Amino acid sequence: MFFQSNLHAAKIGELTETSVFEQALRFLSLKDPAVRIAVLGSIFLGINCGLLGSFIVVRKLALVGDALSHAVLPGVALGFMWNMTKDPIAIFVGATIAGLIGVTAVNLIKDTTKIKEDSVLGMVLAGFYGVGIVLLTMIQNLPFGNKSGLDKFLFGQAAALSVSDIQLIGSITLLCLIIVYFFYKEFLVISFDFSFAQSTGIPAKAFHYLLMLLLTFSVVVALQAVGVVLVSALLITPAATAYLLTDRMHRMLFLAALFGMLSGLTGAFLSFLGNDLPTGPFMVVAASSLFIAAFLFGPRYGLIPKFLKRKNQSYQIEVENTLKAIYQVLEKNNFKEEGVLFDKLAEHRNESIVDTENQINKILKMGCATLNENENSDSNYFKQKLISLTPTGWTRACEIVRNHRLWELYLTNEAQYAADHVHEDAEIIEHVLGDDTVRKLEKMLNFPTRDPHGKLIPGLKYLEDNGTHNSKSAVTQI
Amino acid sequence: MIDDYREAAPLEIHDLTVAYQKKPVLYGIDLEVPKGSLVGIVGPNGAGKSTLIKTIMGLVPIGSGWIKIFGKSFKKAITRVGYVPQRESVDWDFPVNVLDVVLMGRYGRLGLLKKPSKDDKDIAMACLEKVKMSPYANRQIANLSGGQQQRVFLARALAQESDLYFMDEPFAGVDAATETAIIEILQELKNRGKTLLVVHHDLPTAKQYFDRLLLLNMRLVAFGPTEEIFTMENLQKTYGGRLTILSDVAVERNLGVKVD
């Protein structure tokens, strides 16, 4: 409570009369050294958090990251008390020690009692955080010392970074980049299969602790810009976003660092626009927006591409079923007619004329069929129109019928299905059989010409040779 | 190759005891495995089969006793040992492809700081070829079936080019074709003079697959050529109720209470 009131007081005092546009210009021109520091700091932090966050995410240690980031707070307070100023090095050392004590406490309680990891993490996280707040409140109430900027550790303020802060953040980022680059293979194998890594003689435990140490460093240097409360989000969200977009670890590291950087920059920018609002929340909002975008639009696992793909697939299936129905009606008349009448097709598919018309429109659009006047009828009524397959339409119709019948034959011959049980399975498989599989099936079944119901199977080889012929000669030659 | 016979046994264990948090899991194991044997480690659930191989590989601390690999400590012989962990022990959503996983088999030989070379990649591809998985080299591992995952793990172990292999349930949850493929590879490795210890849970196939059996239930019940060891008496000793007293005593000693 104390902190909040103090935070507000500080902000109102800092308010200056400038328009949003001017502020944006000031930020984007990078003329202001304070802006340059904030930008640089955000970029470094983003890279750092993205890199280490990736390992945290794939190793399912996200909660450990969260606990760690809260556990450092008492160390921040103690580091400040060291000589009662905001000395970056003292605070860095204090926070790192506190973080490591926090992680050790988690492991100790987990290994020696029956309390499970999630409870231990929750407990240690809140406990250390509470101690930190108590200590910081005490410091604020002390009558001496330069306390400005200490309140920024909760929600972060990129603009409050000093040149020495930046030097520290820069060195830590460089250190992380170098270590992750040189020991990429070790980090990869301990993350994927820890005991295998151990069995090959890689000092897996040492690398685990190294990773934890780097993580602690990154959390500590990120505190001022992002704040204790939200720094774990900057670790996890960009890495999780990257995880949705790629299946390879090195790409994930790159993307996570990029997203971390973008989030950091956006956060710094928005906080600057709003006259030095806390940076952390804006960074996390930016990171979360990126995640939502990846979740919805990610090409591989995004919701919307998945939905469109499914929709496209069902459209495809409808088209193929229409073509197949036309083939079947033609087949009924021994392919004596050039085309199929609307009402005959509707009758065959057991659906209304309107539904049939909808389906026919789809195949007309795709150039698989043409609509002709029926010479034998004087009525212009669309029911009496004749649907003729184009060569493309004919080829595709033959393919789908062939797939269906081959599969039926395969199931009855090889998988010992009863002939009257195979149709439904084939209805699904016919749309997904690839050319390779079809060739394999044909070979395995010894290039069959009849399906289990005695109907002709339009052959693959035939289709390749004569795909452009008209329907009549096509079947008579099989 | 002349002085081959003078080389120490691939695996020698003397009076090994292992405890998990003070609860003994393995008691007084004495064992000497000769070169070129294909050993099936068989025993009921909780018999300490996985613990035995994990202890040999230094993943679980030794309570008392000692283990020697080719006459040396495990650490010194580490590049001569290959390991296939249980398939469930890893997250198959991990962002790597099949070739990445097999390449991990080379990491131990590479040592720190070195990146896998073209040669390492060729070896990894050849190992994938052996398990008939080379068309899947660039596949994300999440898209593999259980049997395919097991083949990838086997390929990774092959890439280690070791002399002594430990495999933890390589036949668990795989299809029949994979089972045949794996046993063929194990036989081939054995014929090339490699020594293999394989945790196995299916008794009928154990008799058929392995030339030596190690019957385990907290202590070593029997070890030797399959035809000698695979007797009703031994199996009863391994799976029967008599050994429950052993575990009861263990619990009693640990908790200080009597178990009825």
Side-chain angles (χ1 to χ4, degrees), chain A residues 237-281:
Chain A
T237 312
T241 311
Y243 196 14
L244 281 188
L245 296 176
T246 178
D247 281 339
R248 298 293 294 282
M249 191 67 194
H250 58 279
R251 287 188 204 130
M252 182 171 163
L253 287 173
F254 176 77
L255 284 177
L258 184 74
F259 294 149
M261 218 164 74
L262 279 176
S263 312
L265 271 178
T266 317
F269 178 61
L270 291 177
S271 113
F272 191 75
L273 279 193
N275 269 313
D276 293 347
L277 292 174
T279 323

Short mmCIF file of all heavy atoms in Angstrom, two decimals, chain A residues 237-281:
data_model
loop_
_atom_site.label_atom_id
_atom_site.label_comp_id
_atom_site.label_asym_id
_atom_site.label_seq_id
_atom_site.Cartn_x
_atom_site.Cartn_y
_atom_site.Cartn_z
N THR A 237 6.89 -15.58 -22.03
CA THR A 237 6.00 -15.31 -23.16
C THR A 237 6.72 -15.27 -24.52
O THR A 237 6.28 -15.95 -25.45
CB THR A 237 5.18 -14.03 -22.91
OG1 THR A 237 4.64 -14.12 -21.59
CG2 THR A 237 4.07 -13.89 -23.90
N PRO A 238 7.82 -14.52 -24.68
CA PRO A 238 8.46 -14.54 -26.01
C PRO A 238 8.94 -15.94 -26.41
O PRO A 238 8.82 -16.34 -27.56
CB PRO A 238 9.65 -13.59 -25.84
CG PRO A 238 9.30 -12.72 -24.70
CD PRO A 238 8.50 -13.58 -23.77
N ALA A 239 9.43 -16.70 -25.42
CA ALA A 239 9.91 -18.06 -25.73
C ALA A 239 8.74 -18.97 -26.11
O ALA A 239 8.84 -19.76 -27.05
CB ALA A 239 10.65 -18.63 -24.53
N ALA A 240 7.62 -18.83 -25.40
CA ALA A 240 6.46 -19.65 -25.73
C ALA A 240 5.93 -19.29 -27.12
O ALA A 240 5.51 -20.15 -27.89
CB ALA A 240 5.38 -19.45 -24.67
N THR A 241 5.97 -17.98 -27.45
CA THR A 241 5.55 -17.54 -28.79
C THR A 241 6.42 -18.21 -29.85
O THR A 241 5.92 -18.75 -30.84
CB THR A 241 5.68 -16.01 -28.89
OG1 THR A 241 5.06 -15.42 -27.76
CG2 THR A 241 5.04 -15.50 -30.16
N ALA A 242 7.73 -18.18 -29.61
CA ALA A 242 8.66 -18.79 -30.58
C ALA A 242 8.40 -20.30 -30.70
O ALA A 242 8.48 -20.86 -31.79
CB ALA A 242 10.10 -18.54 -30.14
N TYR A 243 8.08 -20.93 -29.58
CA TYR A 243 7.83 -22.39 -29.56
C TYR A 243 6.64 -22.74 -30.46
O TYR A 243 6.61 -23.80 -31.09
CB TYR A 243 7.55 -22.79 -28.11
CG TYR A 243 7.63 -24.28 -27.81
CD1 TYR A 243 8.21 -25.18 -28.70
CD2 TYR A 243 7.14 -24.77 -26.61
CE1 TYR A 243 8.28 -26.53 -28.40
CE2 TYR A 243 7.21 -26.11 -26.30
CZ TYR A 243 7.77 -26.99 -27.19
OH TYR A 243 7.84 -28.32 -26.89
N LEU A 244 5.67 -21.81 -30.54
CA LEU A 244 4.50 -22.06 -31.39
C LEU A 244 4.85 -21.97 -32.87
O LEU A 244 4.10 -22.45 -33.72
CB LEU A 244 3.41 -21.04 -31.11
CG LEU A 244 2.53 -21.23 -29.88
CD1 LEU A 244 1.41 -20.22 -29.90
CD2 LEU A 244 1.95 -22.64 -29.87
N LEU A 245 5.97 -21.31 -33.18
CA LEU A 245 6.25 -21.01 -34.59
C LEU A 245 7.31 -21.91 -35.21
O LEU A 245 7.49 -21.89 -36.41
CB LEU A 245 6.68 -19.54 -34.73
CG LEU A 245 5.61 -18.52 -34.34
CD1 LEU A 245 6.17 -17.11 -34.43
CD2 LEU A 245 4.39 -18.65 -35.24
N THR A 246 8.02 -22.66 -34.40
CA THR A 246 9.10 -23.46 -34.99
C THR A 246 9.26 -24.79 -34.27
O THR A 246 8.80 -24.96 -33.15
CB THR A 246 10.44 -22.70 -34.97
OG1 THR A 246 11.45 -23.55 -35.50
CG2 THR A 246 10.83 -22.30 -33.57
N ASP A 247 9.94 -25.72 -34.93
CA ASP A 247 10.18 -27.05 -34.37
C ASP A 247 11.67 -27.31 -34.16
O ASP A 247 12.07 -28.44 -33.95
CB ASP A 247 9.62 -28.13 -35.31
CG ASP A 247 8.12 -28.26 -35.15
OD1 ASP A 247 7.62 -27.86 -34.09
OD2 ASP A 247 7.46 -28.76 -36.08
N ARG A 248 12.49 -26.28 -34.29
CA ARG A 248 13.93 -26.48 -34.07
C ARG A 248 14.41 -25.52 -33.01
O ARG A 248 14.02 -24.35 -32.99
CB ARG A 248 14.71 -26.22 -35.36
CG ARG A 248 14.36 -27.15 -36.51
CD ARG A 248 14.77 -28.59 -36.28
NE ARG A 248 16.21 -28.80 -36.22
CZ ARG A 248 16.99 -28.84 -37.28
NH1 ARG A 248 16.50 -28.67 -38.49
NH2 ARG A 248 18.29 -29.05 -37.14
N MET A 249 15.28 -26.02 -32.14
CA MET A 249 15.70 -25.23 -30.99
C MET A 249 16.45 -23.96 -31.39
O MET A 249 16.21 -22.89 -30.83
CB MET A 249 16.60 -26.10 -30.08
CG MET A 249 16.87 -25.48 -28.73
SD MET A 249 15.39 -25.38 -27.73
CE MET A 249 15.94 -24.26 -26.45
N HIS A 250 17.37 -24.04 -32.37
CA HIS A 250 18.14 -22.84 -32.68
C HIS A 250 17.26 -21.73 -33.25
O HIS A 250 17.44 -20.56 -32.96
CB HIS A 250 19.32 -23.15 -33.61
CG HIS A 250 18.93 -23.78 -34.90
ND1 HIS A 250 18.66 -25.12 -35.03
CD2 HIS A 250 18.74 -23.23 -36.12
CE1 HIS A 250 18.34 -25.37 -36.29
NE2 HIS A 250 18.37 -24.24 -36.97
N ARG A 251 16.23 -22.14 -34.01
CA ARG A 251 15.31 -21.12 -34.53
C ARG A 251 14.48 -20.54 -33.40
O ARG A 251 14.16 -19.35 -33.38
CB ARG A 251 14.38 -21.73 -35.58
CG ARG A 251 15.13 -21.99 -36.85
CD ARG A 251 14.18 -22.41 -37.97
NE ARG A 251 14.96 -23.16 -38.93
CZ ARG A 251 14.62 -24.34 -39.41
NH1 ARG A 251 13.48 -24.89 -39.06
NH2 ARG A 251 15.39 -24.95 -40.26
N MET A 252 14.11 -21.40 -32.46
CA MET A 252 13.33 -20.94 -31.33
C MET A 252 14.12 -19.89 -30.54
O MET A 252 13.58 -18.86 -30.15
CB MET A 252 12.98 -22.13 -30.43
CG MET A 252 12.14 -21.74 -29.24
SD MET A 252 11.56 -23.22 -28.39
CE MET A 252 11.08 -22.49 -26.83
N LEU A 253 15.42 -20.15 -30.33
CA LEU A 253 16.25 -19.18 -29.60
C LEU A 253 16.27 -17.85 -30.33
O LEU A 253 16.10 -16.79 -29.72
CB LEU A 253 17.69 -19.72 -29.48
CG LEU A 253 17.90 -20.87 -28.52
CD1 LEU A 253 19.32 -21.41 -28.64
CD2 LEU A 253 17.64 -20.43 -27.09
N PHE A 254 16.46 -17.91 -31.64
CA PHE A 254 16.53 -16.69 -32.43
C PHE A 254 15.20 -15.91 -32.36
O PHE A 254 15.18 -14.71 -32.08
CB PHE A 254 16.87 -17.04 -33.88
CG PHE A 254 16.87 -15.86 -34.79
CD1 PHE A 254 17.94 -14.98 -34.79
CD2 PHE A 254 15.79 -15.61 -35.63
CE1 PHE A 254 17.94 -13.88 -35.62
CE2 PHE A 254 15.79 -14.51 -36.46
CZ PHE A 254 16.87 -13.64 -36.46
N LEU A 255 14.11 -16.62 -32.58
CA LEU A 255 12.80 -15.96 -32.58
C LEU A 255 12.48 -15.40 -31.19
O LEU A 255 11.96 -14.29 -31.07
CB LEU A 255 11.71 -16.95 -32.99
CG LEU A 255 11.63 -17.28 -34.47
CD1 LEU A 255 10.56 -18.34 -34.72
CD2 LEU A 255 11.33 -16.04 -35.29
N ALA A 256 12.79 -16.18 -30.14
CA ALA A 256 12.48 -15.73 -28.79
C ALA A 256 13.24 -14.45 -28.48
O ALA A 256 12.70 -13.50 -27.91
CB ALA A 256 12.80 -16.81 -27.78
N ALA A 257 14.53 -14.41 -28.88
CA ALA A 257 15.32 -13.19 -28.65
C ALA A 257 14.71 -12.03 -29.42
O ALA A 257 14.59 -10.91 -28.89
CB ALA A 257 16.77 -13.42 -29.08
N LEU A 258 14.28 -12.29 -30.65
CA LEU A 258 13.67 -11.24 -31.47
C LEU A 258 12.37 -10.72 -30.83
O LEU A 258 12.16 -9.51 -30.70
CB LEU A 258 13.37 -11.81 -32.86
CG LEU A 258 12.81 -10.83 -33.87
CD1 LEU A 258 13.90 -9.88 -34.35
CD2 LEU A 258 12.20 -11.57 -35.06
N PHE A 259 11.52 -11.64 -30.40
CA PHE A 259 10.25 -11.23 -29.79
C PHE A 259 10.50 -10.51 -28.47
O PHE A 259 9.81 -9.54 -28.15
CB PHE A 259 9.34 -12.44 -29.55
CG PHE A 259 8.86 -13.08 -30.82
CD1 PHE A 259 8.61 -14.44 -30.88
CD2 PHE A 259 8.68 -12.32 -31.96
CE1 PHE A 259 8.18 -15.04 -32.05
CE2 PHE A 259 8.25 -12.91 -33.15
CZ PHE A 259 8.01 -14.28 -33.18
N GLY A 260 11.49 -10.98 -27.71
CA GLY A 260 11.83 -10.32 -26.46
C GLY A 260 12.25 -8.88 -26.73
O GLY A 260 11.82 -7.95 -26.05
N MET A 261 13.07 -8.73 -27.78
CA MET A 261 13.55 -7.40 -28.15
C MET A 261 12.40 -6.50 -28.55
O MET A 261 12.29 -5.35 -28.10
CB MET A 261 14.49 -7.58 -29.35
CG MET A 261 15.67 -6.69 -29.36
SD MET A 261 16.86 -7.36 -30.53
CE MET A 261 16.10 -6.94 -32.09
N LEU A 262 11.52 -7.02 -29.41
CA LEU A 262 10.36 -6.24 -29.86
C LEU A 262 9.49 -5.83 -28.67
O LEU A 262 9.06 -4.68 -28.57
CB LEU A 262 9.52 -7.07 -30.83
CG LEU A 262 10.00 -7.12 -32.26
CD1 LEU A 262 9.10 -8.05 -33.08
CD2 LEU A 262 9.98 -5.71 -32.86
N SER A 263 9.25 -6.78 -27.76
CA SER A 263 8.41 -6.48 -26.61
C SER A 263 9.07 -5.41 -25.76
O SER A 263 8.42 -4.47 -25.31
CB SER A 263 8.21 -7.73 -25.74
OG SER A 263 7.84 -8.82 -26.52
N GLY A 264 10.39 -5.53 -25.55
CA GLY A 264 11.11 -4.57 -24.75
C GLY A 264 11.01 -3.18 -25.34
O GLY A 264 10.69 -2.20 -24.64
N LEU A 265 11.25 -3.10 -26.65
CA LEU A 265 11.22 -1.80 -27.33
C LEU A 265 9.82 -1.19 -27.25
O LEU A 265 9.66 -0.01 -26.93
CB LEU A 265 11.60 -1.98 -28.79
CG LEU A 265 13.08 -1.87 -29.09
CD1 LEU A 265 13.33 -2.10 -30.57
CD2 LEU A 265 13.58 -0.49 -28.68
N THR A 266 8.81 -2.01 -27.56
CA THR A 266 7.45 -1.49 -27.55
C THR A 266 7.07 -1.00 -26.15
O THR A 266 6.47 0.06 -25.99
CB THR A 266 6.46 -2.60 -27.97
OG1 THR A 266 7.02 -3.28 -29.07
CG2 THR A 266 5.12 -2.04 -28.32
N GLY A 267 7.48 -1.79 -25.14
CA GLY A 267 7.18 -1.40 -23.77
C GLY A 267 7.82 -0.08 -23.41
O GLY A 267 7.18 0.82 -22.86
N ALA A 268 9.11 0.06 -23.78
CA ALA A 268 9.82 1.30 -23.46
C ALA A 268 9.16 2.47 -24.17
O ALA A 268 8.97 3.55 -23.59
CB ALA A 268 11.28 1.17 -23.89
N PHE A 269 8.78 2.27 -25.43
CA PHE A 269 8.17 3.34 -26.22
C PHE A 269 6.84 3.78 -25.62
O PHE A 269 6.61 4.98 -25.40
CB PHE A 269 7.97 2.83 -27.66
CG PHE A 269 7.32 3.82 -28.57
CD1 PHE A 269 7.91 5.04 -28.83
CD2 PHE A 269 6.10 3.52 -29.17
CE1 PHE A 269 7.31 5.96 -29.68
CE2 PHE A 269 5.49 4.43 -30.02
CZ PHE A 269 6.10 5.65 -30.27
N LEU A 270 5.97 2.82 -25.33
CA LEU A 270 4.64 3.17 -24.81
C LEU A 270 4.75 3.84 -23.45
O LEU A 270 4.03 4.80 -23.16
CB LEU A 270 3.76 1.92 -24.71
CG LEU A 270 3.35 1.32 -26.05
CD1 LEU A 270 2.54 0.05 -25.85
CD2 LEU A 270 2.56 2.34 -26.87
N SER A 271 5.67 3.34 -22.63
CA SER A 271 5.81 3.92 -21.30
C SER A 271 6.33 5.36 -21.42
O SER A 271 5.95 6.25 -20.68
CB SER A 271 6.71 3.06 -20.43
OG SER A 271 7.90 3.70 -20.13
N PHE A 272 7.16 5.58 -22.42
CA PHE A 272 7.70 6.93 -22.64
C PHE A 272 6.60 7.87 -23.12
O PHE A 272 6.49 9.00 -22.68
CB PHE A 272 8.81 6.85 -23.69
CG PHE A 272 9.61 8.09 -23.82
CD1 PHE A 272 10.55 8.42 -22.85
CD2 PHE A 272 9.44 8.94 -24.89
CE1 PHE A 272 11.30 9.57 -22.96
CE2 PHE A 272 10.17 10.10 -25.00
CZ PHE A 272 11.11 10.42 -24.03
N LEU A 273 5.76 7.36 -24.04
CA LEU A 273 4.64 8.17 -24.56
C LEU A 273 3.74 8.64 -23.44
O LEU A 273 3.28 9.77 -23.42
CB LEU A 273 3.79 7.33 -25.52
CG LEU A 273 4.26 7.18 -26.95
CD1 LEU A 273 3.13 6.61 -27.79
CD2 LEU A 273 4.71 8.51 -27.51
N GLY A 274 3.46 7.76 -22.51
CA GLY A 274 2.56 8.08 -21.42
C GLY A 274 3.26 8.78 -20.28
O GLY A 274 2.89 8.58 -19.13
N ASN A 275 4.30 9.54 -20.58
CA ASN A 275 5.03 10.26 -19.54
C ASN A 275 5.54 9.34 -18.44
O ASN A 275 5.18 9.47 -17.27
CB ASN A 275 4.16 11.35 -18.94
CG ASN A 275 4.37 12.65 -19.69
OD1 ASN A 275 5.50 13.04 -19.95
ND2 ASN A 275 3.28 13.27 -20.07
N ASP A 276 6.39 8.43 -18.83
CA ASP A 276 7.06 7.57 -17.87
C ASP A 276 6.13 6.74 -17.01
O ASP A 276 6.27 6.66 -15.79
CB ASP A 276 8.02 8.38 -17.00
CG ASP A 276 9.17 8.92 -17.84
OD1 ASP A 276 9.31 8.43 -18.98
OD2 ASP A 276 9.90 9.78 -17.36
N LEU A 277 5.19 6.12 -17.64
CA LEU A 277 4.39 5.10 -16.95
C LEU A 277 5.31 3.90 -16.69
O LEU A 277 6.33 3.76 -17.35
CB LEU A 277 3.22 4.67 -17.84
CG LEU A 277 2.14 5.71 -18.08
CD1 LEU A 277 1.14 5.20 -19.08
CD2 LEU A 277 1.46 6.07 -16.78
N PRO A 278 4.95 3.00 -15.78
CA PRO A 278 5.81 1.83 -15.56
C PRO A 278 6.00 1.03 -16.84
O PRO A 278 5.06 0.82 -17.61
CB PRO A 278 5.07 1.02 -14.50
CG PRO A 278 3.81 1.72 -14.21
CD PRO A 278 3.83 3.05 -14.86
N THR A 279 7.25 0.60 -17.11
CA THR A 279 7.58 -0.06 -18.38
C THR A 279 7.15 -1.52 -18.41
O THR A 279 6.67 -2.01 -19.43
CB THR A 279 9.11 -0.02 -18.61
OG1 THR A 279 9.59 1.22 -18.14
CG2 THR A 279 9.43 -0.18 -20.07
N GLY A 280 7.36 -2.22 -17.31
CA GLY A 280 7.13 -3.66 -17.27
C GLY A 280 5.78 -4.09 -17.83
O GLY A 280 5.71 -4.93 -18.73
N PRO A 281 4.69 -3.51 -17.32
CA PRO A 281 3.38 -3.94 -17.83
C PRO A 281 3.24 -3.76 -19.34
O PRO A 281 2.69 -4.63 -20.02
CB PRO A 281 2.41 -3.03 -17.09
CG PRO A 281 3.13 -2.63 -15.85
CD PRO A 281 4.57 -2.57 -16.21
#
